[in-house]
Amino acid sequence: METIIDLCDGAWLLDGFLPNEPLIPVYQKGPLPLPAVPEILARVPGSVHDDLLAAGLIPDWNDALNSNLGEWVNNRQWRYRRSVHVPDDWQGQAIVLCADGLDHSGGVYVDGQQVATFEGSLRRHEFILTPHLEAGRTSELSIVFDPSPRIAGGCGLTSTIDRIKPRFGYGWDWCMPLVNVGIWDSIALQGRG
């Protein structure tokens, strides 16, 4: 028997950090540093750019040269987080996080501990969270995205590309540089019996 908890809802929060700051608690005791970008509501599926625009933290990139004012977004690490409650009747089942659109790389955390990593914006990811989540308990789930990889846009040589990530987001003759980052497709917890 398989049961699903859809995580595409309004329960996600988003904040941004300078590169590697989310890893500081791994190396030292103490709280996470204050984020470089304060916590805002996030829409999942969606993108960091859309959430920052909705919160008034970046201007509309479609207006004049405003896209230049949002290029800093890809030089941050972004953390999506929310609480998840595992139902009591999932006792004895495998608990799997299924994500169809994580763009592009980063880590999955449960209650502040890294439990998995991922890479690849156009692939389905499945993470076995059974050792980290318990039936009948609420935990904090976080997905931390690395800064966007450096990839040549439309003017670069295809032979130099070693990552599967859409190149048009890096600038093309028909679009401005606006590199997607975030949870852009469905995400759910599955209990597999």
Side-chain angles (χ1 to χ4, degrees):
M1 182 172 146
E2 188 174 289
T3 52
I4 297 173
I5 298 172
D6 186 4
L7 300 178
C8 292
D9 59 21
W12 291 92
L13 299 171
L14 173 70
D15 51 9
F17 296 85
L18 296 174
N20 297 318
E21 280 186 343
L23 301 176
I24 288 176
V26 173
Y27 303 114
Q28 70 183 27
K29 294 199 184 275
L32 191 66
L34 290 175
V37 178
E39 194 169 76
I40 59 173
L41 293 176
R43 191 181 76 229
V44 171
S47 75
V48 169
H49 288 90
D50 285 333
D51 294 329
L52 294 173
L53 177 65
L57 296 175
I58 60 173
D60 185 350
W61 51 83
N62 294 302
D63 187 19
L65 296 176
N66 282 349
S67 65
N68 295 332
L69 301 174
E71 289 184 11
W72 62 270
V73 171
N74 300 104
N75 298 317
R76 299 286 188 272
Q77 280 187 293
W78 295 98
R79 177 179 64 169
Y80 285 82
R81 67 185 187 91
R82 61 165 296 147
S83 62
V84 291
H85 181 76
V86 179
D88 292 329
D89 61 359
W90 283 21
Q91 186 70 39
Q93 293 191 40
I95 302 170
V96 181
L97 177 66
C98 300
D100 288 330
L102 301 178
D103 197 355
H104 170 75
S105 65
V108 177
Y109 295 75
V110 174
D111 294 329
Q113 297 297 312
Q114 185 174 13
V115 298
T117 59
F118 60 89
E119 183 172 342
S121 57
L122 300 175
R123 57 183 294 200
R124 179 181 179 89
H125 298 281
E126 290 192 356
F127 309 102
I128 307 294
L129 300 184
T130 312
H132 312 287
L133 295 175
E134 294 177 29
R137 194 171 135 230
T138 300
S139 298
E140 183 180 86
L141 173 66
S142 298
I143 300 176
V144 177
F145 289 88
D146 297 331
S148 298
R150 302 278 183 227
I151 296 176
C155 299
L157 297 174
T158 301
S159 62
T160 65
I161 305 302
D162 63 352
R163 295 176 191 248
I164 307 245
K165 181 156 173 63
R167 289 173 64 191
F168 62 81
Y170 289 86
W172 214 274
D173 58 353
W174 48 271
C175 69
M176 73 214 80
L178 192 68
V179 183
N180 188 59
V181 62
I183 305 171
W184 66 269
D185 204 346
S186 64
I187 186 166
L189 270 184
Q190 290 186 356
R192 296 178 180 171

